[in-house]
Amino acid sequence: MAGGGFVVADAPSADYGGRVTFSVVVTCLMAASGGLIFGYDIGISGGVTAMESFLSAFFPGVLRRMAAARRDQYCVYDSHSLTAFTSSLYLAGLAASLVAGRVTRAVGRQTVMLAGGALFFAGAAVNAAAVNVAMLIVGRMLLGFGIGFTNQAAPVYLAETAPPRWRGAFTAGFQLFLSIGNLAANLVNYGTSRIPTWGWRLSLGLAAAPASVILAGALLIPDTPSSLVLRGRAEEARAALRRVRGPKADVDAELEDVSRAVESARAHEDGAFRRILLREHRHHLAMAVAVPLFQQLTGVSVIAFFSPVFFQTAGFGSSGALMGAVILGAVNLASTLVSAAAIDRYGRRPLLLTGGFVMVICQVGVAWIMGSQIGGNGGSAMARPYSMAVLALTCVFSAAFGWSWGPLSWVIPGEIFPVEIRSAGQGISVAVNLGATFLLTQTFLATLCALKYATFVYYAAWVAVMTAFVAAFLPETKGVPLEAMDAVWERHWYWGRFVQPPPAKVAEETAA
């Protein structure tokens, strides 16, 4: 059997007679708004590091290198303190995501999203008022705690609330809001860069706006049925299901399946993090680590964070580099909308495979142009047509990421874990994502300085590896209810050897 590319014929695909109700749309949109804060931060941090007023206040050494008569274009922004400003957030987010799994089981997804929004709001206030690098980093760490909590809770909330048939599209809403936040941040940076002395403060302080959106959204939505049942609030779970599924849905049947899954989880309550290390969960652990790690190894986050810096390296002026970042954000948003429309029609695997193929071509193309134009020593200026070609290839790369690894790296971990390890699995997935983001953002400018144009060949090689991984090891999960996901893994050519069949199935096979 070819590497995992099948649809499980005998897996249940019923949606309990529910439909896409106005209530489920509004509820999922409010939960998905958690992506706003992550997207806003991705866009805002890269933009302010390209503003001269910000650099003169906190990183004057970078400005001195920019003013040097002869300089290596690849190494102008190589500053450990500058990358620490960006990456410190993700170290804090990693720590928060590991704690958030246990907190989520105790207090629910909704409360964790509220805590994430509040912490992000506090971080925005500290950063806007910063007077030194230490204060900047403290603010970034508060933002990181907020992102760690929200990124853990929101995708799982969406997966547990959305109708099975449309779960991919609803869960992709997190990436959609992330893209909206990123585009909004790039537009803010483009506007505030014209305020000579304090524009960067406005950019950082406006992070309070998306934080307010997630706070308001989390206050207005109920917790998920799975989370409510897990905490012994069955009647509230029934009411939540009835609200999001509509009057014609078989709420009792769905609640019975959710309760059965939760009871199974309670039977294995001891240490979800220890359980996920067992052989029977080998496939879950592999995906919890591989999917977010590969997402970051595409290089998309460092391109998003440092896109103004990258475009300046490619020959654009300061204003042109910020506009390039705006264009990149708009392309990513448009491609995410395409993904949301296609994900439940064509499935997860086709989007990942086509996206990976296009990203490899774009990365190699950027490497070739930069190598031929700027050279290995970074001393040459890039001609305008080639700068535009780099922008075009980067936009195509961003589009391919937006229809594939962008939304699907949130969709897949949110839907594959059984309820007994769901919080732990999502916590590991978010921790790996944020940990990899920290390492890559902390080292990107130094890597660009050391490897020059070969940096993009390095990322292209990783995209090729992860595309091969998808082809061999990632099964299709389109339309499969969360409670029936084990059937997907049982029939996989490789992962089937690790899946432990349910006791009822073992008894039936023994009797036969």
Side-chain angles (χ1 to χ4, degrees):
M1 183 181 295
F6 59 85
V7 177
V8 181
D10 58 354
S13 59
D15 56 5
Y16 307 98
R19 55 191 178 86
V20 179
T21 63
F22 176 76
S23 179
V24 78
V25 171
V26 171
T27 299
C28 287
L29 283 174
M30 288 181 176
S33 67
L36 281 174
I37 60 175
F38 196 15
Y40 188 88
D41 180 78
I42 289 172
I44 217 69
S45 56
V48 296
T49 56
M51 295 183 189
E52 289 191 12
S53 57
F54 178 78
L55 293 174
S56 64
F58 299 103
F59 307 102
V62 174
L63 281 180
R64 286 194 294 271
R65 281 198 294 276
M66 292 175 69
R70 292 178 57 84
R71 63 181 188 269
D72 185 339
Q73 297 286 351
Y74 296 109
C75 300
V76 169
Y77 288 92
D78 182 18
S79 166
H80 289 297
S81 57
L82 181 60
T83 50
F85 161 73
T86 300
S87 63
S88 56
L89 179 149
Y90 301 97
L91 193 61
L94 187 157
S97 64
L98 291 174
V99 174
R102 185 175 295 274
V103 175
T104 298
R105 286 177 64 86
V107 302
R109 325 286 186 209
Q110 178 200 30
T111 303
V112 169
M113 286 191 286
L114 276 170
L119 287 165
F120 197 87
F121 191 97
V126 172
N127 270 349
V131 294
N132 53 46
V133 173
M135 196 170 175
L136 273 180
I137 292 178
V138 168
R140 294 286 294 171
M141 292 182 74
L142 285 171
L143 296 174
F145 289 136
I147 285 175
F149 278 118
T150 305
N151 285 11
Q152 199 279 343
V156 174
Y157 185 105
L158 291 165
E160 290 181 343
T161 303
R165 184 179 300 173
W166 302 107
R167 187 177 59 244
F170 278 100
T171 310
F174 185 84
Q175 177 69 23
L176 176 63
F177 274 89
L178 190 154
S179 300
I180 292 171
N182 179 257
L183 177 59
N186 287 321
L187 287 168
V188 166
N189 281 333
Y190 187 73
T192 59
S193 65
R194 288 159 171 70
I195 303 175
T197 56
W198 54 273
W200 62 270
R201 290 190 186 275
L202 185 58
S203 287
L204 295 177
L206 283 174
S212 300
V213 172
I214 182 60
L215 279 170
L219 283 171
L220 295 173
I221 58 178
D223 215 333
T224 69
S226 293
S227 182
L228 290 166
V229 171
L230 191 63
R231 290 179 287 136
R233 296 157 64 176
E235 287 308 310
E236 290 182 48
R238 189 188 307 277
L241 270 176
R242 188 174 292 112
R243 172 180 171 180
V244 297
R245 296 290 185 257
K248 296 182 179 179
D250 191 350
V251 169
D252 290 335
E254 183 170 1
L255 185 62
E256 183 179 345
D257 284 346
V258 170
S259 300
R260 190 181 300 116
V262 168
E263 284 306 313
S264 175
R266 285 205 180 101
H268 306 97
E269 242 172 0
D270 299 359
F273 280 101
R274 287 195 301 273
R275 286 194 58 75
I276 202 172
L277 298 177
L278 298 177
R279 176 183 170 84
E280 65 195 74
H281 292 302
R282 188 72 50 82
H283 48 300
H284 297 128
L285 179 61
M287 295 302 162
V289 174
V291 171
L293 180 62
F294 281 142
Q295 186 213 38
Q296 292 307 311
L297 287 172
T298 61
V300 71
S301 289
V302 290
I303 289 175
F305 290 133
F306 300 114
S307 54
V309 171
F310 169 59
F311 288 138
Q312 284 193 6
T313 302
F316 288 91
S318 178
S319 180
L322 289 172
M323 178 51 69
V326 171
I327 295 170
L328 203 61
V331 168
N332 186 258
L333 174 58
S335 62
T336 303
L337 287 169
V338 171
S339 178
I343 192 171
D344 289 310
R345 180 183 295 270
Y346 300 109
R348 284 67 166 145
R349 282 169 50 86
L351 296 181
L352 290 172
L353 293 172
T354 56
F357 178 74
V358 172
M359 284 191 284
V360 168
I361 293 174
C362 292
Q363 293 278 36
V364 172
V366 168
W368 178 79
I369 292 173
M370 296 190 76
S372 64
Q373 293 299 303
I374 299 179
N377 60 7
S380 304
M382 187 180 291
R384 183 72 175 179
Y386 289 98
S387 297
M388 297 303 294
V390 167
L391 174 60
L393 283 171
T394 307
C395 285
V396 175
F397 171 89
S398 181
F401 178 84
W403 82 57
S404 61
W405 283 89
L408 287 168
S409 62
W410 301 107
V411 171
I412 293 168
E415 69 184 6
I416 63 171
F417 302 118
V419 69
E420 67 264 24
I421 60 166
R422 191 168 294 157
S423 292
Q426 184 68 13
I428 291 171
S429 181
V430 172
V432 170
N433 185 293
L434 294 174
T437 306
F438 166 75
L439 290 174
L440 290 171
T441 52
Q442 184 62 33
T443 59
F444 173 69
L445 294 178
T447 302
L448 183 64
C449 183
L451 297 182
K452 316 299 184 186
Y453 60 88
T455 301
F456 302 96
V457 177
Y458 168 78
Y459 286 126
W462 275 115
V463 176
V465 169
M466 70 197 221
T467 303
F469 177 87
V470 169
F473 296 110
L474 183 68
E476 182 58 70
T477 54
K478 179 184 73 170
V480 181
L482 298 184
E483 294 75 22
M485 201 62 69
D486 275 350
V488 174
W489 301 103
E490 282 179 24
R491 296 183 51 155
H492 189 272
W493 71 273
Y494 179 76
W495 299 120
R497 70 189 69 181
F498 300 105
V499 178
Q500 182 176 339
K505 186 173 181 179
V506 173
E508 181 182 327
E509 290 176 353
T510 304

